[in-house]
Amino acid sequence: MLYKSLVYKFKEIIKENGTIFTEEDQLACYSYDAYAEIPVLPDIVVKPSNYEQIEKIIKLCNDANIPLITRGAGTNLSGGTVPKTGGCVLLTTGFNKILEINENDLYAVVQSGVVTANLAKAVESKGLFYPPDPGSMNISTIGGNVAENAGGLRGLKYGVTKDYVMGINFFCPEGNYVKSGGKTVKLVTGFNLQGLMVSSEGMLGVMTDITLKLIPKPKTSRSMLVLFKDMITACEMVSAIIAAKIVPATLEFLDNFTINTVEEASKIGLPTDAGALLLIEVDGYEGQVEEEFSKILEISQKMGGELKVANSLEERNKIWEARRKALSSLARLKPTLILEDATVPRSRIPEMMRRIQAITKKYDLTIGTFGHAGDGNLHPTILTDRRNKAEMERVEKAIDEIFEAALELEGTLSGEHGVGTAKAKYLEKEVGKGTIIYMKKLKNGTDPKNILNPHKMGL
Amino acid sequence: MDDIINELKELEELTIQCMKCGTCQAHCPLYQKDLEETTVARGKIALIEAVFEGRIEKASSILKHLDYCLLCGRCKINCPSGVKTDEIFLKAKAILRKIEKLPTWGKLVLKIVIEKPELLAKLSPLIHIGQRFGSKKIKKNILKPLISSFSERNVYPIKSKPFCSEFGGFHKAKEEKLRAIFYPGCAINMIFTDWGRKIIEILNHYGVSVYTPEVNRCCGIPAATLGEIGIYKNMIIENYKFFNTIDAEYIITACPTCQYGLHEMGEKITREYVKKKYYDIMIFIEEVLGIELESITDEKITLHLPCHYDQSKEPKLNNVIKKLGTNFAPMENRNCCGFGGTFNIKNYKNSRQIGKTKAEEVMEKGYKKVLSPCPGCVMQLTDSIYGENLLDVEITHPIELVYDAIFKKRQ
Ligand SMILES: Cc1cc2nc3c(=O)[nH]c(=O)nc-3n(C[C@H](O)[C@H](O)[C@H](O)COP(=O)(O)OP(=O)(O)OC[C@H]3O[C@@H](n4cnc5c(N)ncnc54)[C@H](O)[C@@H]3O)c2cc1C
Ligand code: SF4
Ligand code: SF4
Ligand code: SF4
């Protein structure tokens, strides 16, 4: 609860076209995000209508020692927007304008609340391409994408959000306006502060405008599904494709459990005895696409994969359905779904899959795994019921072990979902003490009162 | 109070399915407009949980958020987790209604629902999936805001002779092959009586004998959206009783909301069912009758898919319309038309804002016919499109074109 006089100050700041929520029912709608965690109500929620209001809110929070949690669409999977100790939630959803799409210099300038898919669509209508495509792109905001360094299905060939960030304007935790990067490909004036904003999880600044690199849209693409008896051969196929010097735009896989679940839910004709499924898409110029496509066909035949090739847009959609339905089919099995994103070097996927299977057995859980075979980013998806205390304890242990396995295989805790509160306790194990100290100093130096999104990453 | 919380807790089986992924944001017409979590299904579900898990003290405070909803079902259709949002919202409202009693005007509406079917018939098309009726701004006299806010609209007049008074009874086909009940619903009964007549003629023409009720009993959806599940239940049971007395295999509707109220939600709430097959008229002529149709126009035609239309039947619906005209494309903007029954009455500006996006597409693409198999949609689209001064556009139920094609009424 904030003192009335403070609430009044907030109201004064955003009285022009802004929105303010102070009732418990309204606050409860900002107590959670897409990570399964106990919700915590903020004390106040503000939706400013211009940048000046943001500046004043930050300064007020600093003066009054109120935690400030920036929130886009609230779809992050690591508890990044849950106001751990209350405070003020600042919504960026109103800042949803695409300010510029520059076809000559190949960049776009957007406000941080622009929804990813809206940018992708706008850019595409000009024959250009913004590749990062997180599964949540129809809802997630660009600000959230940058703050979590969101990835997607095209990571292998096109990289992730960080590879497209050219410049960012943001308010620092004390309310100063910081301009970093810009519209030129080459730019070396001052620290690479836009880089600092990537993966900052709302802890180092509140972003307002983001300049993103665009590339020409690939002329054409082709997709195929390949089914394998076992996971190992599927992974060998992935390696063989890369060894043939082909980088597909998409290289996704589903494990046997996920294949079965998808088939059961939507009857699209997947063989339920398949050990693994690969969804492969190559894109680029016509000649090159055809060449790569037939090479991959050859490889898959050699390796004994069962093929389904898309020859039309309709067939492409059918093929993609298996992957698109993965998460939703799993989600319907049990009440609670925990989506992990442990990531290992590509060549270690078979080993990681073996470990996940062993862990599933050991703790008697239901886990379906799918993910981005091309970049080693796996999504072991734990299906459970959060009301079942005993099982939840086993889930926790299983997650611990999944992380341990990922680290042992020289991977990482999180390929794209971020640390937030979900992975805070494991962070030091991966990055080491020195890194944590450095991060703390960085945070402390820019945000001495620890106002911006406190307690995340354990800071 | 504890009872309320316990009753809400019984919804946990349904609410726990929600994984808070937020996907519904992309599909909720109200979220798209407001960009606030209080409007979207995820927020509404979180609120119900917050009450029974003890994070919110004042249970009644969440009712207004549940009421601010078109009940368009888009969140449900697009939910990756299969959350039954409609069932959750209706049940939660019914529970909360016990502490937040209906205001006088609400009681009046329900009195009409039960005792004055003729009067209800006049109101129901406007509140067929109505909500926001509970807003404080509507004072005691429900008719007043209806009238005053209608002065600026492009609306159809209410017919002096309802469809059921004119066409109630049995219409035997010459060479009878099948028998069906045609359930007109309030809108066809009172406003689009012509559609009803044409449906009977078409069905008779193809050997389907048709029963129509002599008094139109409301499907009860307006009561349900006011949180009066008990009354809704009774209305459904009344209708089921009527259906059961009729010797027919099919129940045909021409309004997806009626069908939703009678069939999908009706069975869920009453746990009773009628041993007959429910069909939307368009799907009936395609799937059951398999009517061959000749193209009657090369004007640009489009189709707006109503919220409660069975989405899996969309390709079939498109098929029929493709036969009717050579130049057909479904609307790109797949959002709700923004009508939402009382939402339109109470939030005319908001409703119109949503409707306007539809009109813009019609203008941009130069459509001359806008079809939608839902009376509510036709009313809303008419208002929005005429509101943008596109007066040469014809907006109607596709069954009218089917009729013309069969009976060669146009070239
Ligand atoms: C179904 C589903 C699928 C998903 N698929 C993927 C996927 O394929 N790949 C992937 O990487 N992620 C995925 N995610 C996770 C999530 O969508 C991403 O992390 C996304 O980038 C979050 O965006 P958001 O707008 O929801 O941010 P929020 O959840 O609102 O915020 C996330 C973090 O960013 C900070 N933040 C937001 N805006 C700003 C700003 N303007 N300035 C400073 N900080 C800010 C917040 O403080 C918070 O710490 C998925 C999530 C779901 C629910
Ligand atoms: S889409 Fe479904 S599961 Fe996701 S938040 Fe909305 S209601 Fe919940
Ligand atoms: S029913 Fe429609 S208006 Fe209501 S929450 Fe769902 S999508 Fe939004
Ligand atoms: S009129 Fe049609 S589209 Fe509009 S709210 Fe009703 S069912 Fe939905």
Side-chain angles (χ1 to χ4, degrees), chain A residues 231-256:
Chain A
M231 178 60 72
I232 310 284
T233 332
C235 293
E236 281 169 357
M237 163 112 186
V238 172
S239 303
I241 294 172
I242 308 282
K245 309 277 182 297
I246 299 170
V247 185
T250 301
L251 235 178
E252 295 287 302
F253 90 95
L254 267 59
D255 73 350
N256 169 272

Side-chain angles (χ1 to χ4, degrees), chain B residues 92-312:
Chain B
K93 279 207 236 187
I95 296 165
L96 290 164
R97 207 20 104 218
K98 291 178 191 161
I99 36 173
E100 190 87 347
K101 283 277 177 275
L102 269 183
T104 325
W105 61 265
K107 287 190 199 129
L108 178 63
V109 168
L110 292 172
K111 221 172 145 59
I112 298 170
V113 170
I114 305 161
E115 292 163 19
K116 298 226 166 24
E118 335 75 57
L119 183 52
L120 173 80
K122 295 185 187 169
L123 300 174
S124 281
L126 307 167
I127 51 179
H128 75 295
I129 52 171
Q131 67 310 290
R132 271 304 252 190
F133 220 59
S135 161
K136 297 270 168 345
K137 278 184 223 142
I138 284 193
K139 290 275 159 48
K140 278 181 189 133
N141 185 349
I142 49 159
L143 295 169
K144 206 195 248 155
L146 280 176
I147 294 161
S148 69
S149 63
F150 262 74
S151 56
E152 52 194 286
R153 301 175 193 221
N154 310 290
V155 285
Y156 286 92
I158 287 171
K159 295 276 175 356
S160 52
K161 190 155 192 197
F163 171 79
C164 287
S165 327
E166 201 168 343
F167 295 97
F170 184 51
H171 304 263
K172 192 162 175 359
K174 269 202 200 101
E175 289 163 38
E176 184 186 274
K177 288 187 210 131
L178 301 169
R179 285 183 174 200
I181 300 168
F182 171 56
Y183 179 89
C186 306
I188 290 179
N189 190 36
M190 296 308 303
I191 298 173
F192 301 106
T193 49
D194 234 26
W195 300 356
R197 174 179 61 82
K198 289 177 179 173
I199 287 169
I200 297 176
E201 281 184 42
I202 293 170
L203 290 173
N204 277 177
H205 186 74
Y206 287 94
V208 184
S209 296
V210 184
Y211 288 96
T212 46
E214 268 146 38
V215 184
N216 181 58
R217 287 173 196 82
C218 174
C219 67
I221 281 286
T225 56
L226 286 171
E228 290 293 342
I229 293 263
I231 292 175
Y232 170 51
K233 235 182 182 163
N234 289 342
M235 303 302 293
I236 293 297
I237 289 171
E238 281 297 305
N239 274 300
Y240 286 180
K241 269 194 206 144
F242 166 70
F243 294 157
N244 279 327
T245 60
I246 305 285
D247 167 33
E249 210 184 325
Y250 299 97
I251 299 167
I252 295 175
T253 57
C255 166
T257 307
C258 294
Q259 196 181 103
Y260 168 83
L262 290 171
H263 185 199
E264 191 186 335
M265 192 43 75
E267 287 181 0
K268 231 176 235 166
I269 298 291
T270 58
R271 292 177 200 267
E272 285 186 28
Y273 72 105
V274 178
K275 259 176 122 179
K276 298 187 196 306
K277 293 184 196 119
Y278 291 84
Y279 266 97
D280 173 67
I281 181 68
M282 298 302 292
I283 304 305
F284 188 79
I285 61 174
E286 173 75 357
E287 222 175 86
V288 181
L289 300 181
I291 298 181
E292 290 297 322
L293 291 167
E294 268 169 42
S295 167
I296 51 163
T297 175
D298 44 22
E299 279 183 330
K300 289 187 100 178
I301 309 181
T302 191
L303 171 86
H304 159 71
L305 193 71
C307 306
H308 287 150
Y309 209 83
D310 179 351
Q311 311 278 318
S312 69

Side-chain angles (χ1 to χ4, degrees), chain A residues 146-149 195-205 207 453 457:
Chain A
V146 174
E148 300 284 356
N149 191 12
L196 193 61
M197 280 295 113
V198 173
S199 298
S200 62
E201 300 194 9
M203 298 164 68
L204 296 175
M207 297 178 257
N453 214 1
M457 301 195 197

Side-chain angles (χ1 to χ4, degrees), chain A residues 70 72-76 112 135-136 141 144-145 147-148 150-151 201-202 205 207 416, chain B residues 21:
Chain A
T70 315
T75 68
N76 75 88
S112 67
S136 52
T141 65
N145 289 168
E148 300 284 356
E201 300 194 9
M207 297 178 257
E416 52 182 22
Chain B
C21 67

Side-chain angles (χ1 to χ4, degrees), chain B residues 27-30 39-41 44 69-75 85 89:
Chain B
H27 304 280
C28 176
L30 296 177
T39 61
V40 78
K44 294 177 165 111
C69 170
L70 291 157
L71 283 178
C72 70
R74 280 184 157 67
C75 43
T85 53
F89 298 160

